[in-house]
Amino acid sequence: MKQIIEIAPSLLSADFANLAREIAKVESGGAHVLHLDVMDGHFVPNITIGLPVVKSIRKITKMPLDAHLMIANPGQYLDDFIRAGVNWLSVHIEADIHIERTLHHLRDNGVRAGVAINPGTSLSTLEEVLPLADYVLIMTVNPGFGGQKFIPSMLKKISRLKEIIVSNNYQARIEVDGGIGPGNLQDVLTAGAEIIVAGSAVFSSEKDASEAVREMKMIACGQTVCLG
Ligand code: DX5
Ligand code: ZN
């Protein structure tokens, strides 16, 4: 079975004074999805963007918005993010004690339901909810900051999850996030990743962001099927 690959630039490393321009660049480079990192200073030590910014971004792009909530009490904010116009939403398994309800709620509201998992959290914590997830976001760095180094042992975690999904015939796709760029893209694809988040490799590259997206698509879409 061929994998359908999507490239999801993370806005975290973009120039925040020129968000519209940065978004237009990755859209013209053919990015499939726009990844938005929401951090609250509690679940992770950093604070980033919130609802007003998400609402404004919704008005200026046709790309699906993929919100990655790195916040405490995520269940409390689901409806706000749905109303803000996100298309995909992932919540950390470590932050949500009612993740089963969350995933149902997202699906019932027409949003792709994602469950995110930190590098130190076992895949076994996903067992009960895997059938309910549209995607699993495997963190390949500890969340909180862009520009960190990919944790190599996560390759095995990705392939183990892939095996579980395939052998149980689940629908969930695998998204990977943290330290990914042209140098290790092929490795995560081989392990089974399908949705590729890249922040600094796109927005802090010496190349233009649109060119950086094109380069990643060339690698990813050479042997596999890409959307668009
Ligand atoms: C980290 C965020 C990532 C981050 C990735 O906590 O979830 O989405 O922006 O940035 P890079 O690709 O630079 O590791
Ligand atoms: Zn992220």
Side-chain angles (χ1 to χ4, degrees), residues 156-168:
K156 217 164 162 199
K157 191 176 188 181
I158 299 165
S159 53
R160 277 194 292 125
L161 176 62
K162 185 74 181 179
E163 241 174 73
I164 296 168
I165 291 172
V166 170
S167 62
N168 288 282

Side-chain angles (χ1 to χ4, degrees), residues 103 107 111-114 130 132-136 171-174 195:
L103 295 172
R107 280 185 163 183
V111 172
R112 285 203 203 172
L130 217 41
L132 305 174
D134 293 308
Y135 63 103
V136 176
Q171 299 302 306
R173 297 172 70 207
I174 301 179
I195 304 144

Side-chain angles (χ1 to χ4, degrees), residues 10-13 35-37 39 44 68 70 92 137 139 141-149 177-181 197-202 204:
S10 158
L11 217 48
L12 190 59
S13 297
H35 185 84
L36 303 176
D37 290 299
M39 306 186 190
V44 287
H68 174 194
M70 287 160 276
H92 270 263
L137 194 177
M139 288 307 302
V141 299
N142 286 291
F145 302 93
Q148 301 182 78
K149 205 173 160 319
D177 183 4
I180 298 165
V197 177
S200 46
V202 170
S204 313

